[in-house]
Amino acid sequence: MAIRSLSGAFCAAIVLSSAAFAQGYPERQITMVVPFAAGGPTDTVARLVGEKMSTDLGRQIIIENVGGAGGTLGAARVAQADPDGYTLLLHHIGMATSASLYRSLPYDTLEAFEYVGLVTEVPMVMVARRDFEPADFPAFIAYVKENAGTVSMANAGIGAASHLCGMLFQSAIETQFVTVPYRGTGPAMTDLLGGQVDFMCDQTTNTSQQIRGGTVKAYAVTTPERLELFPDLPTVAEEGLPQMEVSIWHGIYAPKGTPEEVTERLSSALQVALADPGVARSMADLGTAPSPAEDATPAALKNQLETEIARWQPVIESAGVYAD
Ligand code: MLT
């Protein structure tokens, strides 16, 4: 009896201290890790949403870019952080694909994190350097097949969204070609604009400005429907490659053990940020839109991650692409 009442009191004390802890949260600035280089699409989403979350939380959210290994180094940084609500991760579909792409990760994807919520789902566009010869997507496919030994595709490393799209493309046209990894598609875009690399599949959050400005050549979008932003761009399905369809969902995570009151508070701030008209306008200019409030929740993100790991595992297995 004594032990049972003691354990009851002990649990009650834990719950009270957790609630008390969360009551004052946040008391200092929060670090949001972006697992790719500054200036890329993931960084853009994090800064846009983080700024508005800061306003609601009353504490600054600072962005820390931790690139490398397709986003898995940044994810590992957060998995190993104190579960106190002051270190967060904003990552995308790569959280799910890395679970199958890497034979060993420095964290257990489904055990190392708590969930805050979904943020946005971003289309991808196949783009090339402005002077790349092919005039349209069919000619692009033919050119890549004919010149597989010399063309080069940029990506942000195994596990990145740009890597996933490139893998789907190689599988769809049954052709392997050189891929050049960067710490993010921000720096990759610099090389594309400079002609140092031939093409890449990147998110509209990093390509919209260049497409509008004509500084890159755009061939097709990876969404089921054409984009309002670029109505003249065909979809990959229209061009005969429906297997390339992919959209890049983004979520915010915290280290395992972060109190539920904290993740719920963060989810509330995320929902306020996503409901902000300015955020919606900025996202629309970048070819995307905020996730609905019901998806900006821990349960929705948990379900999305579990569903997407199961979805991409057989695709990755059949592509035979792995990182040691
Ligand atoms: C990706 O390819 O996963 C992203 O574009 C990387 C980035 O945000 O730089």
Side-chain angles (χ1 to χ4, degrees), residues 58-308:
R59 295 289 175 183
Q60 194 183 3
I61 291 181
I62 58 161
I63 303 298
E64 180 181 341
N65 299 92
V66 180
T72 57
L73 291 189
R77 156 92 168 77
V78 176
Q80 292 146 19
D82 292 338
D84 57 10
Y86 292 102
T87 306
L88 306 176
L89 170 70
L90 189 141
H91 198 358
H92 58 39
I93 195 171
M95 196 73 156
T97 58
S98 295
S100 301
L101 285 163
Y102 284 79
R103 294 191 196 284
S104 67
L105 281 171
Y107 55 86
D108 180 327
T109 302
L110 289 175
E111 295 302 327
F113 301 94
E114 305 290 354
Y115 304 93
V116 173
L118 285 160
V119 178
T120 185
E121 188 159 335
V122 185
M124 302 195 88
V125 192
M126 186 67 83
V127 293
R129 54 183 167 79
R130 182 167 45 181
D131 58 353
F132 204 51
E133 191 179 312
D136 56 24
F137 198 52
F140 170 74
I141 293 169
Y143 186 92
V144 169
K145 285 181 145 181
E146 285 156 23
N147 300 275
T150 56
V151 295
S152 58
M153 179 177 200
N155 65 36
I158 295 179
S162 45
H163 165 264
L164 175 61
C165 185
M167 185 188 78
L168 296 174
F169 180 52
Q170 294 195 58
S171 297
I173 66 171
E174 296 176 329
T175 304
Q176 302 296 309
F177 43 77
V178 172
T179 58
V180 183
Y182 292 78
R183 295 176 73 80
T185 50
M189 179 59 81
T190 302
D191 273 8
L192 188 72
L193 294 171
Q196 279 79 36
V197 69
D198 291 323
F199 59 92
M200 74 174 165
C201 185
D202 197 8
Q203 299 171 71
T204 53
T205 33
N206 194 40
T207 54
S208 299
Q209 182 185 344
Q210 284 73 15
I211 295 171
R212 272 196 287 266
T215 52
V216 297
K217 190 173 280 187
Y219 289 114
V221 297
T222 65
T223 39
E225 304 299 328
R226 293 195 178 201
L227 301 180
E228 274 181 42
L229 206 57
F230 303 118
D232 299 336
L233 269 184
T235 66
V236 287
E238 285 176 71
E239 300 290 7
L241 298 183
Q243 62 270 52
M244 278 191 68
E245 282 182 6
V246 64
S247 288
I248 310 307
W249 53 272
H250 294 61
I252 297 177
Y253 304 82
K256 190 73 174 178
T258 304
E260 183 182 358
E261 296 84 352
V262 170
T263 53
E264 288 296 342
R265 178 66 187 92
L266 288 165
S267 171
S268 161
L270 173 60
Q271 292 174 47
V272 169
L274 295 179
D276 181 279
V279 169
R281 275 195 302 276
S282 298
M283 284 192 173
D285 285 346
L286 294 168
T288 190
S291 294
E294 61 270 20
D295 289 350
T297 62
L301 177 55
K302 180 177 189 293
N303 179 62
Q304 177 78 357
L305 181 60
E306 291 169 349
T307 304
E308 287 282 282

